[in-house]
Amino acid sequence: MPTHPTTLKALAGAALLPLALVTPAWGGPAAPAPRAEQPSTLCAVAGTLRGDHGQHAVVSLCAGTGTPRFSVSAPASCGRAGTRVRYNCRSDGRWTATRSGKTLSGGTLPGSGEYPGPGAYDITATVRVRSAPAGVDLTGTVRATLTLTDAKAKPTHAITVDRTTLRRNATTTLTYTVRRDSAQGDGSGRFGLIGEAGTSVRIATSDARCVNPLVGEYPAKTRLSYSLDCALTELQPGHPEQVKVRVTVGGTCSTVVSKLGFWMPNGQDLETGGMLEGPKVTCV
């Protein structure tokens, strides 16, 4: 069904997370340190999309709080005038978050970025809402302001590199240092590097912890020469790990980006851990 141009009702969304204050009894022991906020979702109604034949969709914008990631989604409820059909509503699109006029993050819906810290975030999203069964198909722009109070979590890991640029038609040796600065978690991490496909860039190392990743169906032996995966197992506070690699660039420049995946065990909960973005090495 084709999309319809829509209009947006006036909106304003703002929410505050409550702060818990604990006052020690007179003469008693000092109050314990405040507990960090538990992960939660904060939502505000962001607008109503309307079509030409009674279609409507009320869209909210939501941000996940209490974790190192700033997760944004746009749930919607939708319907049509004159029908009693109960619709399930699917929303997708793109979002941008600004604070004090500065763009901080954005991407597809649902999606996430690094949490910049407490403050009032103006979130704008271009959203398409479709229904099941069919009957509603609307596209429009919605906006809301969400006020987040969680403190920005201290980073548990860090990645640095000793060079910031590569050169064409040359091989450059890079030394990456991966640190774990927190007693939380364990010593394991998966460190990855990747260049730009189609540029003939090659990433190699003699480090036995690293391998160019295997692609294709078995028994294929093809490996990505422009990517590298390293299994680090001894990351401890005060004991960083170093990975030395050789990056060969041809006549076409390629950047190299890096990341670290790590687990922060919480019993047998599988949804713990994080992904840390490392430095980008550019090419001249």
Side-chain angles (χ1 to χ4, degrees), residues 68-95:
R69 303 297 293 174
F70 183 64
S71 302
V72 177
S73 60
S77 60
C78 58
R80 291 187 64 146
T83 179
R84 295 184 179 181
V85 176
R86 297 177 66 89
Y87 291 104
N88 293 316
C89 308
R90 175 179 178 175
S91 60
D92 56 58
R94 298 193 64 84
W95 64 279

Side-chain angles (χ1 to χ4, degrees), residues 166-190:
L166 307 169
R167 294 193 176 276
R168 299 172 191 263
N169 301 308
T171 297
T172 305
T173 299
L174 304 175
T175 301
Y176 286 87
T177 301
V178 182
R179 300 196 325 265
R180 175 178 151 225
D181 299 323
S182 170
Q184 294 179 298
D186 56 31
S188 297
R190 182 179 178 184

Side-chain angles (χ1 to χ4, degrees), residues 178 180 186-189 209 231-241:
V178 182
R180 175 178 151 225
D186 56 31
S188 297
R209 300 169 299 177
L232 308 181
T233 58
E234 297 183 3
L235 288 171
Q236 293 176 294
H239 180 73
E241 297 264 31

Side-chain angles (χ1 to χ4, degrees), residues 41-264:
T41 300
L42 184 66
C43 297
V45 175
T48 301
L49 309 180
R50 296 192 181 277
D52 297 332
H53 304 288
Q55 309 99 319
H56 59 272
V58 179
V59 182
S60 295
L61 288 172
C62 301
T65 69
T67 74
R69 303 297 293 174
F70 183 64
S71 302
V72 177
S73 60
S77 60
C78 58
R80 291 187 64 146
T83 179
R84 295 184 179 181
V85 176
R86 297 177 66 89
Y87 291 104
N88 293 316
C89 308
R90 175 179 178 175
S91 60
D92 56 58
R94 298 193 64 84
W95 64 279
T96 301
T98 63
R99 185 176 63 185
S100 301
K102 180 181 179 181
T103 299
L104 299 176
S105 194
T108 58
L109 284 168
S112 66
E114 183 180 354
Y115 177 54
Y121 293 85
D122 297 314
I123 303 177
T124 301
T126 300
V127 182
R128 182 180 183 185
V129 179
R130 288 168 286 177
S131 67
V136 177
D137 190 342
L138 302 170
T139 300
T141 300
V142 296
R143 298 178 180 86
T145 298
L146 297 176
T147 300
L148 307 180
T149 61
D150 290 335
K152 184 176 181 178
K154 292 183 179 180
T156 59
H157 297 70
I159 305 169
T160 58
V161 66
D162 65 339
R163 290 175 178 265
T164 58
T165 58
L166 307 169
R167 294 193 176 276
R168 299 172 191 263
N169 301 308
T171 297
T172 305
T173 299
L174 304 175
T175 301
Y176 286 87
T177 301
V178 182
R179 300 196 325 265
R180 175 178 151 225
D181 299 323
S182 170
Q184 294 179 298
D186 56 31
S188 297
R190 182 179 178 184
F191 178 57
L193 303 170
I194 190 167
E196 297 177 49
T199 62
S200 75
V201 63
R202 300 192 306 275
I203 304 176
T205 183
S206 58
D207 194 317
R209 300 169 299 177
C210 305
V211 65
N212 294 101
L214 188 67
V215 293
E217 296 183 6
Y218 179 84
K221 300 296 183 182
T222 304
R223 294 185 179 274
L224 294 181
S225 60
Y226 59 89
S227 180
L228 198 69
D229 282 344
C230 304
L232 308 181
T233 58
E234 297 183 3
L235 288 171
Q236 293 176 294
H239 180 73
E241 297 264 31
Q242 287 194 332
V243 178
K244 185 175 291 187
V245 304
R246 300 181 306 278
V247 181
T248 301
V249 178
T252 303
C253 254
S254 170
T255 58
V256 172
V257 299
S258 57
K259 64 181 178 180
L260 178 74
F262 53 90
W263 195 24
M264 305 291 282

